[in-house]
Amino acid sequence: MDPILLIHGYSSEGKDNTVKQIYGSMPAELRKLFGRGAVREINLSRWISLSDGVTLDDVSFAMDRALKAEHADLLGDRFHVIIHSTGALVVRNWIRKFSPKPSPIANLVHLAGANFGSGLAHIGRGQLARWGRLIFQGTGSGEHILNELEFGSWKTLDLHLHFLQAGNDMFKDYEVQEFCIIGSQTLGFLRPVPIRYVKEDSSDNTVRTSSGNLNFNYVDVTPKPKAFSMTVTALRRLTNKRLNNKHFIDTCYTYDLSQLADRRREVPYAVAYETAHFGDDIGILSGSKNRPAVMPLVKAALTAPYGDAAYKRIAERYRKALDKTFERAAMLKSNLLEWNKQEQYEGHAQIIFRLKDQDGKPVENFDIRFNSESAGKGEEKLEKFIEDHHGNKVDKGAITFYLRTQKFESRRGKRPWRERLENVAPLTVEVTGDEPDSDDIAYVPVNIELDKAEINALIQSFRTTVIDVTLVRLPSTKVFAIEKG
């Protein structure tokens, strides 16, 4: 068995905690399975990863130095990595910045990897201070790390998009096999906390199930040449129609669907039964009651040989584990004094919009409107699915929508977990930008019409969809004019 390296996540460990307190029984269980010399730990908090001045790049660089200084033998051969939470970003960033191709990392297991952010990264500092003992366990807050964990962080999005580029495929080029395991539960003592992100549905009290899934959809919306030559009169006509809620057919933009998740190699992904982000009983890393739900999936990942066939077999095993979780969840009983346990499991999806102009600069003032056509019999409007939205506070050109895409129905003869997207109404997505400091600058609006099949191709339960929009920033003729002398 190749060595196993454990890398924990942001704030889950506390400044004075021991390895035992950080990882719980995980090292002992792995040593029992694979031998006493199989596990090595890198404790990022000992590198003051929660100091406000430390960035994700700093932590990945520190990881590289530690590997070369203390574990050079790992770099000379192959080893496995198990991460928790923010450790996902640290290791993926290390692979991007420092790893050769192929990488010395063979199998990379994500335990609640915060790949597409965490709601706890952007709650108010007053709330952080008030609930700090529950969440941060005596550490600092780590401002730069929080910025990179915030929903819609441009740097984090670019990190993941790196692995979609030709020559940077995680499986084919780096030869790293990734596996994603996450829970969908919160802890009872967190229910009274007035912060939605420690108790929202389809989340493990820190990371959403969709944030932890590397099977994400990516759509690139780009302008056609005609958008750059549009006259001010024509642009005004489009803008007026948009402002007056009138329908218009947009021919100024095109979008690329080649990077939808279903068109790429599947990353094994499972939701573990009755599992939370942390906690002695049901924490994904150190829980005592959920080991039968977590450890078989970990073992399968660590023992998977490299290759398409083996990787696909594990992906199928993970799908079956997810199905089993929801079979069991359908049988859970609730009483009037508890939350609805089935609602906690109902699948959600994330949609992240990132808006920039043709020069790559963020469009800070924008409007995104979901406009469903009149819903037919049995159809639902997508905008009714939205339960939360968050505009990134640092990267102003990004907004994340959180949608409830499943509904639990216990009627006989029906599937218990109904996919609401199967009955979604056709939709128009309208995107407009604004430059409040000048009347001589306007943005060419985007209008995307989607039918039911296209919506289902773009959005799925337990997944994130990233939509990059390049809005054409158009100056009027008053900005620069040439006249004959």
Side-chain angles (χ1 to χ4, degrees):
M1 181 69 185
D2 291 327
I4 304 166
L5 185 69
L6 299 182
I7 301 179
H8 66 63
Y10 170 90
S11 85
S12 63
E13 50 294 309
K15 65 180 180 181
D16 297 321
N17 283 357
T18 64
V19 169
K20 171 65 176 176
Q21 290 170 309
I22 295 168
Y23 296 112
S25 61
M26 179 67 72
E29 292 179 45
L30 291 172
R31 289 185 175 110
K32 184 177 180 181
L33 286 173
F34 302 117
R36 294 197 58 80
V39 182
R40 308 188 189 191
E41 300 88 5
I42 289 184
N43 188 332
L44 299 184
S45 67
R46 293 173 186 164
W47 302 334
I48 58 170
S49 66
L50 297 185
S51 171
D52 283 344
V54 174
T55 68
L56 177 64
D57 285 338
D58 292 329
V59 181
S60 297
F61 181 35
M63 172 183 169
D64 188 62
R65 286 198 311 176
L67 284 171
K68 290 175 179 176
E70 302 169 24
H71 304 285
D73 57 312
L74 294 181
L75 297 175
D77 203 347
R78 298 280 274 176
F79 66 99
H80 306 300
V81 175
I82 299 175
I83 65 86
H84 180 231
S85 195
T86 323
L89 299 181
V90 172
V91 174
R92 285 197 126 216
N93 196 44
W94 178 84
I95 293 172
R96 179 180 69 91
K97 291 175 67 69
F98 300 105
S99 175
K101 298 175 184 176
S103 175
I105 296 177
N107 294 326
L108 171 53
V109 184
H110 296 250
L111 297 181
N115 285 295
F116 290 97
S118 167
L120 295 184
H122 56 77
I123 61 177
R125 286 200 174 275
Q127 289 176 302
L128 284 177
R130 182 178 179 186
W131 299 102
R133 276 184 289 181
L134 287 179
I135 299 170
F136 297 125
Q137 303 180 25
T139 64
S141 61
E143 183 173 357
H144 283 298
I145 300 292
L146 285 175
N147 290 343
E148 289 153 345
L149 275 172
E150 186 175 354
F151 294 138
S153 163
W154 282 38
K155 184 169 183 177
T156 299
L157 293 178
D158 287 338
L159 167 62
H160 298 310
L161 296 182
H162 167 82
F163 297 105
L164 299 187
Q165 298 170 0
N168 294 327
D169 183 88
M170 187 68 86
F171 180 90
K172 180 181 177 182
D173 298 305
Y174 288 99
E175 296 187 12
V176 177
Q177 298 184 137
E178 294 184 281
F179 307 82
C180 299
I181 310 167
I182 193 169
S184 184
Q185 292 303 293
T186 189
L187 302 172
F189 75 88
L190 291 176
R191 286 285 167 178
V193 177
I195 301 173
R196 69 162 285 127
Y197 300 110
V198 300
K199 55 187 176 184
E200 68 180 350
D201 294 341
S202 201
S203 172
D204 69 355
N205 71 38
T206 301
V207 177
R208 293 167 172 172
T209 56
S210 50
S211 284
N213 191 349
L214 287 171
N215 297 293
F216 67 98
N217 297 306
Y218 178 66
V219 182
D220 194 14
V221 181
T222 55
K224 296 179 180 178
K226 65 178 293 184
F228 296 93
S229 58
M230 179 175 285
T231 65
V232 174
T233 302
L235 179 56
R236 251 188 221 122
R237 194 182 305 121
L238 278 179
T239 303
N240 287 335
K241 282 187 175 183
R242 171 67 180 85
L243 291 174
N244 293 316
N245 292 325
K246 292 182 179 179
H247 181 75
F248 65 89
I249 299 175
D250 171 35
T251 58
C252 295
Y253 291 86
T254 185
Y255 48 93
D256 179 15
L257 301 181
S258 63
Q259 288 294 351
L260 298 183
D262 289 339
R263 300 185 183 184
R264 303 196 307 269
R265 182 180 287 101
E266 181 181 6
V267 176
Y269 170 84
V271 177
Y273 180 71
E274 290 295 278
T275 292
H277 198 77
F278 57 84
D280 294 336
D281 291 337
I282 61 171
I284 193 166
L285 190 62
S286 58
S288 58
K289 295 181 178 179
N290 60 352
R291 295 303 85 189
V294 174
M295 289 310 297
L297 297 175
V298 172
K299 181 180 179 181
L302 293 175
T303 56
Y306 179 77
D308 271 311
Y311 201 45
K312 288 177 181 177
R313 284 197 300 271
I314 300 298
E316 176 61 25
R317 176 170 179 173
Y318 273 49
R319 283 196 298 272
K320 290 180 178 178
L322 185 149
D323 291 342
K324 183 65 176 178
T325 291
F326 283 83
E327 288 176 14
R328 298 177 68 186
M331 306 301 292
L332 288 170
K333 304 295 183 183
S334 301
N335 60 53
L336 294 176
L337 300 178
E338 293 179 319
W339 61 93
N340 186 302
K341 294 182 178 179
Q342 277 73 38
E343 285 185 0
Q344 178 71 36
Y345 273 97
E346 287 174 350
H348 286 58
Q350 278 191 149
I351 306 175
I352 302 174
F353 284 89
R354 177 167 62 167
L355 277 64
K356 51 192 172 184
D357 64 21
Q358 64 267 32
D359 298 315
K361 297 177 182 177
V363 179
E364 296 189 4
N365 300 281
F366 62 87
D367 178 45
I368 296 176
R369 183 185 181 207
F370 298 94
N371 185 19
S372 295
E373 298 179 13
S374 298
K377 185 177 180 181
E379 290 184 332
E380 295 184 81
K381 295 184 177 183
L382 188 76
E383 51 265 45
K384 301 295 185 183
F385 293 20
I386 299 172
E387 296 192 340
D388 182 61
H389 66 276
H390 172 74
N392 192 289
K393 296 176 182 178
V394 177
D395 298 321
K396 301 293 186 180
I399 187 169
T400 300
F401 296 92
Y402 194 50
L403 292 73
R404 186 182 296 269
T405 53
Q406 284 187 340
K407 177 69 176 176
F408 177 76
E409 296 176 343
S410 58
R411 291 175 292 176
R412 290 183 180 180
K414 295 277 188 178
R415 289 179 298 171
W417 307 94
R418 177 173 64 85
E419 292 290 341
R420 300 174 69 193
L421 289 164
E422 292 179 356
N423 299 310
V424 71
L427 173 73
T428 299
V429 181
E430 299 172 348
V431 183
T432 54
D434 178 57
E435 176 49 76
D437 295 326
S438 176
D439 294 331
D440 291 314
I441 298 294
Y443 291 92
V444 180
V446 174
N447 187 78
I448 301 174
E449 295 183 340
L450 302 170
D451 60 25
K452 184 183 300 185
E454 290 170 324
I455 295 170
N456 277 270
L458 288 170
I459 307 169
Q460 297 93 33
S461 297
F462 310 111
R463 287 182 179 177
T464 293
T465 298
V466 178
I467 303 178
D468 260 340
V469 181
T470 300
L471 279 180
V472 173
R473 182 181 171 96
L474 200 64
S476 75
T477 54
K478 295 179 183 179
V479 174
F480 192 92
I482 300 176
E483 298 180 2
K484 289 184 178 180

